[in-house]
Each structure stands twice: as C-alpha cells, then as structure tokens.
Amino acid sequence: MKAVAARLEIGRIDWSAYRAPASGGPGLRDLFLGLLDANDESEAVGCSLEYRLEVQSMVYEVALPAVGVILAAYAEDLPLWVEMEFLNVLHNIITGEPHRSELELGNFDLVDRCIERARDGIWVMYSRLSKWNSDFLLDVLEVVDSDRERFAVFKAGFYPE
C-alpha cells in the first residue's frame, strides 16, 4: 500500500467538522485517497484539491488538518504529478490569508497555525528539494523555516550567486 502514513492521517480526521469552501463532488477524504491510489494522472481525473482547502489563496479551516496529510504523503515516494498537486496547495495555504468567513469568526491566526503545523515537516520539505520544485518549495520554506541561516544555506545550494 502506498503512502501508509498519509492514509492513517486521512482516516483519523473528521473532515466534516471543519469549515471548507462550498463545493459538490467527492469529499476531501476521497479526493486525497484518489490522488494516492491513482497509478497515473488519467486515473486521478476529478481528484483535485483545487478550491477544496482554499480559494485564490483565501484559506479555510479545513486546510489545518490537510497540511498534516500533505506532509505525511510528501514524506513518501509520490509520483511527480501528485507531489506537484500537494505542493501547489501547500504553497497556496502557507502564502495565503484566512478567508473572509474565517475572519468573521475570529479565526485570524489560521494561516499562522497552518505554518506552525508545516514546521513539523520541515526536514521532509528540505529533503524533497530538487531543481524542478525549488522555486515553489523554497517559497514555502522561506515562510515556514524560522532558522534564517539554515534557509539561506539551502537556498544558496539551489541558487548559488
């Protein structure tokens, strides 16, 4: 079975307990599993996380547990297209801001809490840095990593002056 840690994380979350963008179709549990189960992109048609955790970088509460799932999956050997799906969503969450509906409920620190959760996977993110994803992943790490010296060293390793 692929992505065991991510599957366990997906299964322990009550997704319906979190505020999310209004959308039809499969729930987040099924979308995550569809991405993890697919052998290629054609098998994952319709399994996109786009507009399910955030809309145009306006983050909803459901992004908080999703960050943990994304990092658990990211720690395993994922197909490149799945990794990119997760990285795009993670980037939008980490660099986003709470949706207006979250702000109205006083959830001002939602993105900060997502960033804090992402810090749990800092070494997973650093270990996944490569030439094809360095732009996006370094953007995420610049926000997530509070150790500025470490970030500078890794960034210089990919973009020497």
Side-chain angles (χ1 to χ4, degrees):
M1 181 186 302
K2 299 184 289 185
V4 175
R7 291 170 188 282
L8 291 171
E9 188 68 4
I10 291 165
R12 75 180 196 89
I13 296 167
D14 177 6
W15 295 99
S16 66
Y18 293 91
R19 287 178 301 282
S23 58
L28 278 169
R29 178 188 178 282
D30 293 335
L31 291 174
F32 272 118
L33 292 175
L35 287 165
L36 295 174
D37 288 341
N39 293 312
D40 58 44
E41 287 181 83
S42 66
E43 288 184 16
V45 170
C47 290
S48 174
L49 297 174
E50 187 175 20
Y51 303 121
R52 300 306 295 259
L53 307 170
E54 51 78 32
V55 176
Q56 297 179 346
S57 296
M58 302 302 288
V59 180
Y60 287 81
E61 180 186 42
V62 73
L64 191 58
V67 167
V69 170
I70 290 167
L71 290 171
Y74 218 54
E76 303 191 44
D77 190 26
L78 298 172
L80 182 61
W81 59 273
V82 175
E83 189 172 333
M84 283 307 301
E85 173 85 12
F86 288 160
L87 180 55
N88 287 333
V89 171
L90 184 62
H91 182 272
N92 290 345
I93 292 168
I94 297 302
T95 61
E97 57 186 71
H99 186 268
R100 178 181 37 84
S101 62
E102 295 294 338
L103 295 173
E104 289 169 357
L105 292 168
N107 211 356
F108 303 104
D109 66 342
L110 175 59
V111 172
D112 293 334
R113 289 186 292 138
C114 290
I115 291 168
E116 190 61 38
R117 177 135 328 151
R119 285 189 177 120
D120 291 341
I122 196 117
W123 286 112
V124 169
M125 290 185 276
Y126 274 121
S127 71
R128 300 301 291 211
L129 266 172
S130 66
K131 294 220 181 285
W132 66 265
N133 72 7
S134 61
D135 288 337
F136 247 27
L137 194 47
L138 283 169
D139 283 351
V140 171
L141 285 163
E142 187 169 19
V143 174
V144 171
D145 195 353
S146 57
D147 184 334
R148 304 319 304 157
E149 181 183 347
R150 175 176 54 204
F151 175 76
V153 167
F154 275 83
K155 184 176 181 181
F158 281 86
Y159 297 105
E161 293 184 26

